[in-house]
């Protein structure tokens, strides 16, 4: 076999298992075509990847040593993945929450990544070989993912990594940060409107979760008064992120606590019953906004419907969101549903916030690659504190789970109203907290 790769020597970047398994001279020749091609005779270019071939639970998740490497084309970037972020959507897709027509199988897990550019367009103005990058891959209509040694990502989906973050820290940011930025923007909360937002109130649900912990930091940056829901044990953590008030959802009903003082904005990542209750405490005036994301909360209504569960849930969801989006045209607050999209410009904005100390990643644990199944199971249980990451490079065989909750915690403390938090509340709470949504 012979690998034709555009004049690039990968020895300094690629691990042994990522290289083309060839028995002859390992010749690397120039190519006039963009990206690389390969002669697939008896040998293939293969890599290690965590994937699934059918829907199910832990038993269908597997590590493959012979997954074909992706082929780069113009406008895309070949990235050696150093770390991948873990999100609930990763196990939910494997479970079958989204039909295969949208997310085909076999499928590599993951969408968040941080890594090193191996190859890009020669005339690229954004990247060059060796650049450290981070971003999110598209989940839909592709079998590729980020729990793998290599990935091809659209150039427009990536940004250079923040200089002050490690690969695992950077890898845990993309999906939750993009979701928060894009959802808040749809509700009119962004840099352009920052001057008009000061003093307005927002309720952010699940403030100690992955999306919520980022949304709190962004909302305070925009000048909003932040109220959030979380458990009592995570209250100090939420306040350390910038929350002004915390409602213990286990002991208090937020609609009762806020009924006499409605909020201007609601950011809801829960859906289902939470959405219904939240509409009771949002101002019914122009300028107020209810922001939500697509969740699997609708499945709760149809838990006992057997094989009709998914069709019923999808039908109900379509009708529900259509009605809400239509209703906003005539009465009440603005209503928006965000389906997160990869966006390099938003990642560049996030990088700037990180480097200025405004946005802090909340990395709790880093798993070695061969223990990816444990990471997915921990997220599925919903009891993990902060975000999880998987170390792809160097984390393939052996290795233990690294607890990052107390590592450089002072560096990750948020900036609140232009001042560095002293972290007293967080220390009382025992470090990082919160489940991942």
């Amino acid at each position: 076999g012979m690998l034709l790769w555009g004049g690039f020597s990968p020895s300094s970047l690629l691990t042994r298992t990522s290289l083309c398994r060839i028995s002859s001279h390992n010749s690397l020749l120039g190519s006039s075509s963009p990206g690389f091609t390969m002669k697939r005779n008896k040998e293939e270019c293969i890599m290690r990847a965590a994937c699934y071939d059918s829907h199910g639970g832990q038993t269908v998740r597997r590590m493959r040593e012979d997954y074909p490497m992706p082929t780069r084309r113009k406008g895309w970037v070949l990235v050696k993945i150093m770390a991948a972020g873990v999100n609930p959507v990763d196990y939910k897709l494997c479970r079958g929450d989204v039909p295969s027509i949208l997310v085909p199988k076999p499928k590599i897990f993951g969408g968040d990544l941080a890594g090193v550019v191996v190859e890009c367009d020669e005339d690229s103005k954004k990247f060059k070989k060796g650049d450290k990058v981070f971003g999110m891959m598209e989940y839909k209509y592709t079998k590729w993912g980020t729990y793998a040694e290599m990935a091809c990502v659209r150039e427009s989906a990536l940004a250079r990594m923040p200089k002050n973050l490690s690969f695992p820290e950077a890898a845990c940011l993309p999906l939750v940060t993009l979701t928060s930025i894009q959802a808040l923007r749809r509700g009119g909360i962004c840099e352009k409107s920052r001057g008009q937002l000061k003093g307005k109130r927002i309720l952010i649900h699940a403030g100690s979760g992955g999306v919520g912990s980022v949304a709190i930091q962004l909302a305070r940056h925009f000048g909003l008064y932040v109220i959030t829901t979380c458990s009592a044990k995570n209250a100090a953590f939420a306040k350390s992120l910038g929350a002004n008030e915390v409602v213990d959802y286990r002991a208090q009903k937020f609609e009762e606590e806020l009924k006499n003082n409605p909020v201007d904005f609601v950011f809801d990542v829960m859906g289902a019953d939470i959405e219904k209750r939240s509409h009771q405490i949002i101002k019914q005036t122009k300028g107020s906004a209810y922001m939500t994301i697509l969740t699997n909360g609708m499945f709760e209504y149809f838990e006992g419907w057997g094989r009709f569960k998914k069709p019923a849930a999808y039908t109900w969801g379509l009708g529900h969101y259509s009605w809400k989006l239509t209703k906003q045209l005539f009465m009440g607050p603005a209503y928006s549903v965000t389906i997160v999209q990869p966006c390099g410009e938003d990642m560049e904005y996030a990088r700037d916030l990180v480097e200025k100390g405004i946005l802090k990643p909340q990395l709790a644990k880093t798993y070695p690659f061969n223990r990816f199944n444990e990471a997915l199971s921990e997220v599925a249980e919903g009891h993990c504190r902060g975000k999880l990451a998987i170390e792809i490079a160097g984390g393939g065989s052996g290795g233990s789970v690294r607890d990052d909750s107390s590592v450089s915690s002072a560096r990750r403390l948020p900036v609140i109203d232009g001042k560095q938090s002293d972290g007293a509340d967080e220390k009382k709470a025992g470090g990082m907290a919160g489940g991942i949504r």
Side-chain angles (χ1 to χ4, degrees), residues 140-398:
K140 302 187 299 296
Y141 310 119
T142 178
K143 67 179 181 179
W144 303 104
T146 59
Y147 292 18
E149 292 176 317
M150 304 288 286
C152 276
V153 190
R154 290 184 185 274
E155 183 178 87
S156 60
L158 296 172
R160 286 189 176 87
M161 259 179 56
K163 297 177 182 178
N164 54 336
L165 295 187
S166 65
F167 284 111
E169 285 177 317
C172 77
L173 278 176
L175 184 143
V176 294
T177 304
L178 289 171
T179 299
S180 297
I181 291 173
Q182 294 171 12
L184 292 174
R185 184 191 297 137
R186 284 178 174 269
I189 303 173
C190 58
E191 290 289 351
K192 291 182 179 180
S193 60
R194 189 176 176 187
Q196 291 76 47
L197 294 173
K198 190 172 181 62
K200 291 192 175 183
R201 292 153 49 87
I202 184 172
L203 171 62
I204 298 174
H205 285 292
S208 58
V211 174
S213 62
V214 172
I216 289 174
Q217 296 178 72
L218 292 176
R220 282 304 300 270
H221 170 63
F222 294 132
L224 293 167
Y225 184 93
V226 179
I227 306 163
T228 191
T229 59
C230 65
S231 64
K233 69 176 182 179
N234 295 331
F237 169 68
K239 287 185 176 180
S240 76
L241 293 172
N244 300 96
E245 294 182 31
V246 175
V247 178
D248 178 6
Y249 71 90
R250 291 177 177 171
Q252 303 166 286
K253 290 186 176 181
F254 65 84
E255 65 269 32
E256 292 294 327
E257 298 295 321
L258 300 174
K259 65 180 180 181
N260 295 324
N261 192 7
V263 298
D264 300 280
F265 306 99
V266 173
F267 183 24
D268 172 20
V269 298
M270 310 285 286
D273 181 61
I274 297 297
E275 179 173 333
K276 181 179 179 180
R277 294 161 57 195
S278 296
H279 278 289
Q280 301 174 33
I281 49 85
I282 187 172
K283 293 179 180 178
Q284 302 297 308
T285 57
K286 184 178 180 180
S288 59
Y290 188 94
M291 298 153 285
T292 188
I293 62 176
L294 280 184
T295 71
N296 66 339
M298 57 188 175
F299 289 113
E300 297 175 6
Y301 291 113
F302 306 97
E303 195 59 47
W305 284 50
R307 62 192 179 97
F308 297 106
K309 172 183 174 180
K310 290 181 183 178
Y314 294 139
T315 302
W316 177 87
L318 179 62
H320 171 77
Y321 290 124
S322 297
W323 162 243
K324 290 289 186 179
L325 291 170
T326 302
K327 181 182 176 182
Q328 69 167 335
L329 301 176
F330 305 99
M331 64 184 80
Y335 184 93
S336 63
V337 182
T338 295
I339 303 176
V340 64
Q341 299 293 325
C343 180
E345 290 183 3
D346 286 344
M347 293 308 303
E348 289 172 358
Y349 173 62
R351 178 195 64 209
D352 291 341
L353 293 179
V354 170
E355 292 183 344
K356 291 176 181 177
I358 296 169
L359 177 62
K360 309 288 180 175
Q362 305 302 320
L363 177 63
K365 294 180 183 178
T366 301
Y367 280 80
F369 195 11
N370 65 315
R371 298 178 65 176
F372 79 95
N373 211 335
E374 296 175 50
L376 287 170
S377 296
E378 183 171 351
V379 171
E381 291 171 3
H383 301 304
C384 47
R385 296 182 152 210
K387 286 295 301 288
L388 305 183
I390 297 173
E391 193 170 33
I392 305 297
S397 57

Side-chain angles (χ1 to χ4, degrees), residues 3-198:
L3 174 65
L4 301 180
W5 208 336
F8 156 67
S9 176
S11 58
S12 62
L13 285 174
L14 303 183
T15 61
R16 178 178 58 83
T17 54
S18 297
L19 293 176
C20 184
R21 277 25 181 249
I22 53 180
S23 58
S24 55
H25 299 291
N26 295 325
S27 301
L28 298 174
L29 303 179
S31 173
S32 59
S33 61
F36 67 85
T37 59
M38 51 192 170
K39 293 184 177 180
R40 296 180 180 272
N41 295 324
K42 294 182 179 181
E43 305 290 343
E44 287 187 323
C45 288
I46 56 178
M47 64 179 181
R48 303 180 75 234
C51 62
Y52 60 91
D53 297 312
S54 59
H55 289 149
Q58 294 188 37
T59 57
V60 303
R61 307 171 193 165
R62 64 194 184 104
M63 179 74 76
R64 279 184 55 179
E65 302 281 345
D66 59 348
Y67 209 94
M69 284 176 57
T71 302
R72 195 189 74 83
R73 57 186 184 271
K74 188 170 179 59
W76 292 63
V77 179
L78 182 65
V79 179
K80 173 178 170 59
I81 301 178
M82 306 300 290
V86 184
N87 295 292
V89 67
D90 299 340
Y91 78 82
K92 290 177 181 179
L93 293 179
C94 178
R95 191 173 64 185
D97 286 10
V98 177
S100 297
I101 192 172
L102 296 177
V103 183
K105 303 185 294 292
K107 173 70 175 174
I108 298 177
F109 286 98
D112 285 354
L113 68 90
V116 178
V117 173
V118 172
E119 185 182 1
C120 59
D121 292 345
E122 291 184 3
D123 58 351
S124 173
K125 296 180 179 179
K126 290 186 65 176
F127 306 115
K128 63 181 183 301
K129 186 176 70 175
D131 283 345
K132 296 179 180 180
V133 295
F134 74 143
M136 189 188 92
M137 289 184 66
E138 180 62 81
Y139 279 92
K140 302 187 299 296
Y141 310 119
T142 178
K143 67 179 181 179
W144 303 104
T146 59
Y147 292 18
E149 292 176 317
M150 304 288 286
C152 276
V153 190
R154 290 184 185 274
E155 183 178 87
S156 60
L158 296 172
R160 286 189 176 87
M161 259 179 56
K163 297 177 182 178
N164 54 336
L165 295 187
S166 65
F167 284 111
E169 285 177 317
C172 77
L173 278 176
L175 184 143
V176 294
T177 304
L178 289 171
T179 299
S180 297
I181 291 173
Q182 294 171 12
L184 292 174
R185 184 191 297 137
R186 284 178 174 269
I189 303 173
C190 58
E191 290 289 351
K192 291 182 179 180
S193 60
R194 189 176 176 187
Q196 291 76 47
L197 294 173
K198 190 172 181 62

